[in-house]
Amino acid sequence: MAKINFGGVIEEVMTREEFPLEKAREILKDEVIAVIGYGVQGPGQACNLRDNGFNVIVGQRQGKTYEKAVADGWVPGQTLFSIEEAAQKGTIICMLLSDAAQMQQWPNIKKYLTPGKTLYFSHGFAITWNDRTGVIPPKDIDVIMVAPKGSGRSLRTMFVEGRGLNSSYAVYQDASGRALDKVLAFGIGIGSGYLFETTFIREATSDLTGERGSLMGAIQGLLLAQYEVLRENGHTPSEAFNETCEELTQSLMPLFAAKGMDWMYANCSTTAQRGALDWMGPFHDAIKPVVEKLYASVKCGNEAQISIDSNSKPDYREGLEKELQALRDSEMWQTGAVVRKLRPENN
């Protein structure tokens, strides 16, 4: 483990220098890795593991997603099976189904979790709130987690480009005495940049907070609020979108992604610097109470229950599509679609 100073706080992280791919292959050489679910995380993790030389099979229900797995080179009857067949064959069973599907499929998968097997997750939801999900593993298996800090698509894209997406890892249950080695090997195997330790509870609460907060929920709310104020004050859709979204994603995000917010500020005009420094405080003070309320809702299990209840409705998919369609049809994102087409690389 490498000791890294994160703004004055020392954390231990694992990199590919301390834990090379050859070591990961050795640890998992006798394992059959069964990736259950080929939706969001499944393709990236399964393909990266396969390309890194691990023994991988996929379990997926028939349908469009199954056909996608075939298109990606998984062979029915050889490396592509039904969910139950893959769970039976695998020694490491990777629960990469959606949270709702994990609950539905748990009775079918649990019977194949025989002594000595390993149950793997990439999200702590099912275990953290297992009083609500019913996902309670047997005591005689290892239970581990590697949670990439991004989508499965990003994990795959960065792997192909020779880069790595950072991941957290956790051991929930160590029946074999080798769970830590397995989880670190798995994290290296899927192509993580570096690995930092967490717990299932911490991962689940931080993940749900991030999704509802700065990563998705809050940013849409902030962007829409600014776009609306500009439009209400006579600015055109193109001007409002460019000043609200396009400049953020195309110009400023790459700057602070590369070297931090301070560096991005230093490379903007003095007028922009002054305004950002003056207004970051009022935004922080206005938003922090909302984030505190959000975190409390996540920590007590309320957000998990909302998700479980929503996903359990028979017409959930239809309702979800209506909500997403409304977002898609909003003036701001219709403008965004036009602006993206006008980018030079698309002409």
Side-chain angles (χ1 to χ4, degrees):
M1 292 281 187
K3 292 184 181 294
I4 307 295
N5 187 331
F6 291 95
V9 178
I10 304 298
E11 285 188 43
E12 289 189 341
V13 302
M14 182 64 75
T15 71
R16 285 178 275 192
E17 291 184 5
E18 289 93 28
F19 206 108
L21 182 58
E22 293 73 20
K23 180 178 179 180
R25 289 196 191 109
E26 178 64 24
I27 289 170
L28 300 181
K29 65 180 180 180
D30 297 323
E31 305 284 357
V32 177
I33 299 169
V35 172
I36 308 298
Y38 206 73
V40 178
Q41 279 291 334
Q45 294 198 32
C47 290
N48 290 2
L49 286 163
R50 181 179 61 185
D51 289 355
N52 270 336
F54 295 87
N55 185 9
V56 188
I57 62 175
V58 171
Q60 175 60 44
R61 290 168 289 191
Q62 290 283 344
K64 289 183 179 180
T65 305
Y66 186 94
E67 295 307 318
K68 180 184 186 309
V70 173
D72 286 347
W74 302 98
V75 181
Q78 296 181 27
T79 56
L80 178 59
F81 304 92
S82 69
I83 288 175
E84 290 200 27
E85 284 179 296
Q88 185 176 22
K89 292 175 181 294
T91 60
I92 300 179
I93 299 176
C94 306
M95 290 283 276
L96 298 184
L97 298 160
S98 68
D99 295 324
Q102 286 183 28
M103 294 167 56
Q104 294 168 356
Q105 291 292 329
W106 178 245
N108 300 324
I109 292 171
K110 184 179 180 180
K111 58 189 174 187
Y112 298 112
L113 292 172
T114 51
K117 286 197 176 187
T118 300
L119 181 61
Y120 167 93
F121 293 88
S122 282
H123 185 23
F125 187 103
I127 292 292
T128 298
W129 293 292
N130 60 15
D131 58 328
R132 303 164 189 260
T133 66
V135 179
I136 302 174
K139 295 295 184 183
D140 50 10
I141 66 168
D142 291 342
V143 182
I144 62 176
M145 174 178 66
V146 177
K149 297 301 104 183
S151 70
R153 184 183 296 273
S154 297
L155 181 73
R156 181 61 177 166
T157 299
M158 293 175 74
F159 177 87
V160 170
E161 293 173 351
R163 300 185 292 148
L165 188 65
N166 299 330
S167 303
S168 60
Y169 72 90
V171 173
Y172 178 76
Q173 205 165 268
D174 184 8
S176 69
R178 298 177 54 247
L180 180 59
D181 282 344
K182 288 180 188 177
V183 75
L184 292 173
F186 210 102
I188 297 299
I190 66 171
S192 300
Y194 75 83
L195 293 155
F196 60 96
E197 188 175 10
T198 188
T199 65
F200 274 66
I201 293 174
R202 278 170 34 207
E203 191 282 333
T205 52
S206 61
D207 188 80
L208 264 66
T209 300
E211 291 168 347
R212 286 150 178 74
S214 65
L215 302 179
M216 294 174 69
I219 196 165
Q220 165 64 17
L222 173 61
L223 295 177
L224 182 59
Q226 179 170 305
Y227 180 89
E228 287 175 341
V229 168
L230 290 173
R231 290 287 288 122
E232 288 160 4
N233 283 275
H235 298 268
T236 66
S238 180
E239 185 170 51
F241 186 85
N242 274 278
E243 295 292 359
T244 299
C245 302
E246 190 74 352
E247 187 173 354
L248 172 67
T249 61
Q250 301 305 298
S251 174
L252 300 182
M253 275 187 173
L255 293 180
F256 71 77
K259 294 188 178 180
M261 191 68 75
D262 58 323
W263 192 80
M264 185 265 277
Y265 278 15
N267 284 274
C268 291
S269 70
T270 55
T271 302
Q273 289 171 357
R274 184 70 268 142
L277 290 168
D278 287 348
W279 277 92
M280 66 182 187
F283 273 108
H284 168 271
D285 294 346
I287 292 167
K288 188 171 181 181
V290 179
V291 178
E292 290 173 333
K293 182 179 179 180
L294 164 60
Y295 188 81
S297 184
V298 171
K299 191 172 183 179
C300 75
N302 184 54
E303 293 301 311
Q305 192 62 54
I306 291 171
S307 294
I308 291 168
D309 292 343
S310 297
N311 291 331
S312 299
K313 294 177 180 177
D315 61 346
Y316 172 69
R317 285 289 170 189
E318 292 81 357
L320 174 64
E321 182 52 38
K322 288 181 181 178
E323 290 182 279
L324 294 177
Q325 188 65 47
L327 192 61
R328 193 177 303 125
D329 291 342
S330 66
E331 184 188 275
M332 183 170 75
W333 291 115
Q334 285 294 301
T335 300
V338 176
V339 170
R340 287 191 293 275
K341 289 179 182 177
L342 291 172
R343 290 174 186 165
E345 65 267 24
N346 295 325
N347 293 320

